[in-house]
Amino acid sequence: LEEQDPRPSPLRVEDLALGQVFEVGSRAITREEIISFAAQYDPQPFHVDEAAGEASLFKGLVASGLQTFAITVRLLMESPLYLTGGLIITRGEIQWRRPVRPGNVLHLRIEVIDVAIDSEKDRAIVGLNIQTLNQNEEVVLIFAPRLLTERRTIKRD
Amino acid sequence: LEEQDPRPSPLRVEDLALGQVFEVGSRAITREEIISFAAQYDPQPFHVDEAAGEASLFKGLVASGLQTFAITVRLLMESPLYLTGGLIITRGEIQWRRPVRPGNVLHLRIEVIDVAIDSEKDRAIVGLNIQTLNQNEEVVLIFAPRLLTERRTIKRD
């Protein structure tokens, strides 16, 4: 990992240590993106209509939680934590903590909480605790996945 | 709920009982949908390239787990379980159990595992256990969300 490099190479699973924390990503979300994503995957009124949002618990238009989660996964895949052996998410606990609104800018704080290498199968299980934060450092989502990775390096696009 | 009606009206939270099971949805997924979704949200090689899929643990092209989850949420929102007061998912545990491949047809088996009505705030918390199954009745995903709903009826599109 070179700090100068804006797109650091992915890490090998052997490079991870418990308690390591990575701050990654920066992703703004627009009103248009919120509405178009929700229209396709989660067309609840408060995700697609400003007036319905105002009348809801949220007091305004808010992004689908599914979209916040998709952005979280995308930022993870673009980060150094996208290990050389790939990342297959096998399970995870998600908490949606705060609404995401138009103009919010999201980033991730990722802590390594488990690493278990199976030398026989040349696979490893990695546990992460991922906080997705907005531009005010407020946690909007917490995702604690268990991930399967191979120890060989997979081919990238 | 009238069995004749292909799009039954949403239920009120008061209509739910612990242990109730709903079988809902039918959604085929194509190779093109798998590749285009993954290109946008989860561009790992085994989600976007047939040869890379063959060379992977999956032995073939497979859908992003995020897409299987998105389809699960969409089928939930289209079901009678999309309660009259809306559904806000506050947290949930997800397990990805089996790969989803081109041509698979997905449906949901939803069990009501918790209903707690807060009369003072006119809100309720609902716990569901959702199994997403393929055309061979194999479980591909399990999602156990906690949902917040209002007791008033919200306006639909």
Side-chain angles (χ1 to χ4, degrees):
Chain A
L1 262 183
E2 304 198 1
E3 274 187 75
Q4 260 57 34
D5 187 344
R7 297 193 53 190
S9 301
L11 299 169
R12 295 169 308 144
V13 65
E14 291 85 348
D15 298 328
L16 300 181
L18 295 191
Q20 266 182 308
V21 175
F22 298 80
E23 304 265 350
V24 302
S26 176
R27 173 69 158 75
I29 185 166
T30 66
R31 183 176 311 273
E32 293 65 38
E33 288 171 321
I34 288 173
I35 293 171
S36 77
F37 182 99
Q40 202 174 349
Y41 294 108
D42 185 5
Q44 300 204 64
F46 38 72
H47 298 320
V48 292
D49 182 78
E50 190 76 46
E54 291 293 345
S56 77
L57 293 175
F58 298 117
K59 310 295 179 204
L61 187 79
V62 296
S64 166
L66 199 55
Q67 186 171 20
T68 312
F69 182 52
I71 289 171
T72 300
V73 172
R74 183 71 202 243
L75 290 176
L76 173 66
M77 296 301 175
E78 291 171 354
S79 82
L81 268 295
Y82 181 29
L83 304 173
T84 56
L87 279 187
I88 297 166
I89 304 176
T90 61
R91 58 188 300 162
E93 167 84 20
I94 308 179
Q95 297 175 43
W96 286 270
R97 300 293 288 268
R98 265 193 189 74
V100 172
R101 301 178 189 278
N104 280 188
V105 182
L106 305 179
H107 66 282
L108 307 186
R109 183 170 299 141
I110 305 173
E111 185 179 2
V112 178
I113 60 172
D114 193 18
V115 180
I117 295 177
D118 180 341
S119 304
E120 203 167 303
K121 289 188 184 163
D122 256 351
R123 297 180 188 178
I125 298 289
V126 176
L128 301 176
N129 191 56
I130 303 173
Q131 293 184 323
T132 307
L133 303 109
N134 64 22
Q135 68 283 0
N136 300 321
E137 290 292 313
E138 296 167 324
V139 176
V140 298
L141 181 147
I142 295 175
F143 179 41
R146 288 180 74 77
L147 305 132
L148 178 66
T149 185
E150 296 189 75
R151 289 178 79 194
R152 69 192 172 100
T153 298
I154 62 168
K155 198 173 137 274
R156 312 277 163 155
D157 289 335
Chain B
L1 261 185
E2 303 199 0
E3 274 188 75
Q4 259 59 32
D5 188 343
R7 297 194 51 191
S9 300
L11 299 168
R12 295 169 308 145
V13 65
E14 291 86 348
D15 298 327
L16 300 181
L18 295 191
Q20 266 183 308
V21 175
F22 297 82
E23 303 265 350
V24 301
S26 177
R27 173 69 157 74
I29 185 167
T30 67
R31 182 176 311 273
E32 292 66 36
E33 288 171 321
I34 288 174
I35 293 171
S36 77
F37 183 98
Q40 202 174 349
Y41 294 107
D42 185 4
Q44 301 204 64
F46 38 73
H47 297 320
V48 292
D49 181 77
E50 189 76 45
E54 292 292 346
S56 77
L57 293 175
F58 298 118
K59 310 295 178 202
L61 187 79
V62 296
S64 166
L66 198 56
Q67 185 172 22
T68 312
F69 182 52
I71 290 170
T72 299
V73 172
R74 182 72 202 242
L75 290 176
L76 173 66
M77 297 301 175
E78 291 171 353
S79 82
L81 269 293
Y82 181 28
L83 304 173
T84 57
L87 279 188
I88 297 167
I89 303 176
T90 61
R91 60 188 299 162
E93 167 84 21
I94 308 179
Q95 298 175 43
W96 285 270
R97 298 294 289 265
R98 266 193 188 73
V100 171
R101 301 176 189 278
N104 280 187
V105 182
L106 305 179
H107 66 281
L108 306 185
R109 181 170 300 140
I110 306 173
E111 185 179 3
V112 178
I113 59 173
D114 194 17
V115 180
I117 296 176
D118 180 339
S119 303
E120 205 167 301
K121 290 188 185 163
D122 256 351
R123 297 180 188 178
I125 298 288
V126 176
L128 301 177
N129 190 57
I130 302 173
Q131 294 184 322
T132 307
L133 303 109
N134 65 20
Q135 68 283 359
N136 300 322
E137 290 293 311
E138 295 166 324
V139 176
V140 297
L141 182 147
I142 296 176
F143 179 42
R146 286 180 75 75
L147 305 133
L148 179 66
T149 185
E150 296 188 76
R151 288 180 79 196
R152 69 191 172 99
T153 298
I154 63 168
K155 196 174 138 272
R156 310 277 164 156
D157 288 334

